[in-house]
Amino acid sequence: EIVLTQSPATLSLSPGDAATLSCRASQSVGTHLAWYQQRPGQAPRLLIYDSSNRATGIPVRFRGSGSGTDFTLTISSLEPEDFAVYHCQQRSSWPPRYSFGPGTKLEIK
Amino acid sequence: QVQVQESGPGLVKPSETLSLTCTVSGDSISRYYWSWIRQAPGKRLEWIGYLFFTGTTNFDPSFKRRVTMSADTSKNQISLNVTSVNDADTAVYYCAGTYSYGRPGSAFESWGQGILVTVSS
């Protein structure tokens, strides 16, 4: 079973700041790593898939990077609507199994 | 654009069976692998398993003994059954699709809004 950890648990920043969120896997997942944004009372929304590919309609200020066990989501200049919880998620190769990290809460400072 | 909607009872008694339906519009369910994912209060998202319209299923080992999934292509629906529920099964349940490239994709592009299911007598 692949376990994902995320850091920090909470990140306090101001609009206009840059945010860096980390996700670490207990074993290599290659580039099968995705990032989601979840606002209160809403379903998760896919931001990044396969480590660095932006999903349809996702602004360019969201950038994903990494491979193996260490991954990063960077938001270049925070907008008010970006303050939310961010989850990372991996898919193992075979059999395909999915797991999520505990989330990072991005809050307004 | 695919739209996804979960439905079912919001309250289930302990030891009974939780049954939910996922209705998909805007595309055929046959183009996606459909997963059920849940989020218990204060916990991380948890993948339960997926179904392909052919009947192929794949479950997380922690759910394998209690979970079944099925598809109704005529209604463009996917169903979930979880037997012998207890308090720990109280959660928001999401139906989520990952596009089929001949095998399951690595991320979930389409999500329903989720349905809260409470297990209580």
Side-chain angles (χ1 to χ4, degrees), chain A residues 3-5 32 34 36 38 41-46 48-50 87 89-91 95-102, chain B residues 33 35 37 39 43-47 50 58-61 64 94 98 103-109 111-114:
Chain A
V3 178
L4 298 179
T5 56
H32 295 312
Y36 300 84
Q38 187 175 28
Q42 295 185 16
R45 175 177 72 141
L46 178 64
I48 302 288
Y49 65 95
D50 290 343
H87 308 273
Q89 168 255 310
Q90 67 81 28
R91 190 208 75 187
R97 299 268 163 82
Y98 302 84
S99 62
F100 292 83
Chain B
Y33 282 79
S35 285
I37 296 163
Q39 188 170 33
K43 303 285 189 179
R44 68 180 70 191
L45 292 157
E46 185 176 29
W47 178 73
Y50 70 57
N58 179 25
F59 301 124
D60 186 279
K64 199 169 185 176
Y94 295 99
T98 176
R103 59 177 182 166
S106 61
F108 303 102
E109 303 98 351
W111 292 70
Q113 87 284 359

Side-chain angles (χ1 to χ4, degrees), chain B residues 43-71:
Chain B
K43 303 285 189 179
R44 68 180 70 191
L45 292 157
E46 185 176 29
W47 178 73
I48 298 170
Y50 70 57
L51 167 76
F52 195 51
F53 79 104
T54 56
T56 297
T57 54
N58 179 25
F59 301 124
D60 186 279
S62 62
F63 291 98
K64 199 169 185 176
R65 291 182 182 180
R66 299 195 296 138
V67 169
T68 57
M69 296 182 188
S70 61

Side-chain angles (χ1 to χ4, degrees), chain B residues 11-84:
Chain B
L11 181 64
V12 182
K13 290 183 168 55
S15 79
E16 295 191 345
T17 296
L18 179 162
S19 296
L20 297 175
T21 299
C22 173
T23 301
V24 178
S25 58
D27 204 349
S28 169
I29 62 170
S30 65
R31 297 180 189 271
Y32 299 81
Y33 282 79
W34 293 98
S35 285
W36 288 93
I37 296 163
R38 73 181 188 182
Q39 188 170 33
K43 303 285 189 179
R44 68 180 70 191
L45 292 157
E46 185 176 29
W47 178 73
I48 298 170
Y50 70 57
L51 167 76
F52 195 51
F53 79 104
T54 56
T56 297
T57 54
N58 179 25
F59 301 124
D60 186 279
S62 62
F63 291 98
K64 199 169 185 176
R65 291 182 182 180
R66 299 195 296 138
V67 169
T68 57
M69 296 182 188
S70 61
D72 185 336
T73 53
S74 67
K75 295 181 179 179
N76 228 32
Q77 291 179 334
I78 298 93
S79 297
L80 168 74
N81 286 313
V82 182
T83 61
S84 304

